[in-house]
Amino acid sequence: MRITKEQKQENYDRIIATASELFRERGFDGVGVAELMERAGLTHGGFYNHFRSKEELIAESTENGLNETLQRYAGYDVLDVMELYLARDHRDGRGQGCTAAALSCDAARQPETTKAVFAAGIDKLVRAVEGGIAQRDPSGAEGRAQAIAILAQAVGAIVLSRACPDDSPLADELLDACRADCRDAIENRMWQR
């Protein structure tokens, strides 16, 4: 039975969404194609109607996940983004959270094509933070460097917090300290430069 172009696109979108979530939860190596397709409600053989390899899926689902992160925070003030990003809900919601925080370490061991997708996505995240800072400080002084530092600190805080046991006071302390430091960097330090 042949499927329509619309159905094929719906299946593709479902595979990408499922892969994005599963990869964020368990890493690239923690998810097999058969399980992924079953979770998406499709047959294992149907995978190859959409992708040549798991590596191709990884690159495409990574791009999707990084774009989801941008969309999730679009329209928010940069301080509000830091509050939402450096929160326990984000830390605990790994499958729905930021792809950069969930998969950057995995991406470092992937082929150059996947690394290129990550680099492009991270650059978009930097530019979004930079834009948020520019709305508060139109002079743009050191905006990109500050955006890189803030993004690196926020992503690092999520990664380190997730590495701690769920009930560890340190898990929350990491988020709280970095949230306060990012707020200070955005509100105060930029005006002193």
Side-chain angles (χ1 to χ4, degrees):
M1 177 174 91
R2 301 207 72 148
I3 61 172
T4 66
K5 286 183 182 181
E6 293 80 17
Q7 184 62 50
K8 185 172 181 173
Q9 185 63 46
E10 287 175 24
N11 291 348
Y12 171 85
D13 293 343
R14 190 165 53 235
I15 295 166
I16 290 292
T18 303
S20 291
E21 183 173 341
L22 286 175
F23 288 149
R24 284 181 289 210
E25 286 176 4
R26 293 192 249 149
F28 296 132
D29 293 335
V31 180
V33 171
E35 176 191 8
L36 165 70
M37 294 302 285
E38 181 180 331
R39 185 91 166 261
L42 300 166
T43 64
H44 179 257
F47 175 84
Y48 297 99
N49 293 329
H50 301 281
F51 307 98
R52 290 182 301 255
S53 65
K54 184 178 176 184
E55 289 74 26
E56 184 179 330
L57 170 66
I58 287 171
E60 291 185 35
S61 67
T62 295
E63 182 176 20
N64 178 74
L66 290 164
N67 286 333
E68 281 179 7
T69 299
L70 285 168
Q71 292 168 1
R72 182 176 306 119
Y73 299 114
Y76 284 93
D77 179 80
V78 69
L79 288 176
D80 293 334
V81 171
M82 289 300 116
E83 286 294 320
L84 293 167
Y85 192 93
L86 291 165
R88 190 65 185 227
D89 285 346
H90 178 227
R91 183 245 188 218
D92 293 344
R94 184 181 312 249
Q96 292 74 44
C98 176
T99 297
L103 293 168
S104 287
C105 293
D106 282 18
R109 292 181 288 278
Q110 293 298 311
E112 293 299 316
T113 54
T114 300
K115 289 181 183 181
V117 169
F118 257 89
I122 291 167
D123 187 60
K124 287 179 187 177
L125 294 172
V126 168
R127 284 189 277 130
V129 173
E130 185 179 12
I133 292 169
Q135 288 179 341
R136 298 178 145 272
D137 178 15
S139 74
E142 299 185 36
R144 183 159 176 88
Q146 186 177 31
I148 289 170
I150 288 168
L151 179 64
Q153 184 172 7
V155 169
I158 293 295
V159 171
L160 292 175
S161 180
R162 285 178 177 164
C164 297
D166 288 345
D167 60 352
S168 166
L170 181 58
D172 290 323
E173 189 178 8
L174 286 159
L175 298 176
D176 295 343
C178 289
R179 187 180 327 104
D181 194 59
C182 287
R183 170 181 280 117
D184 184 52
I186 294 165
E187 287 184 324
N188 301 318
R189 286 187 231 159
M190 79 164 70
W191 307 115
Q192 297 172 6
R193 291 181 188 203

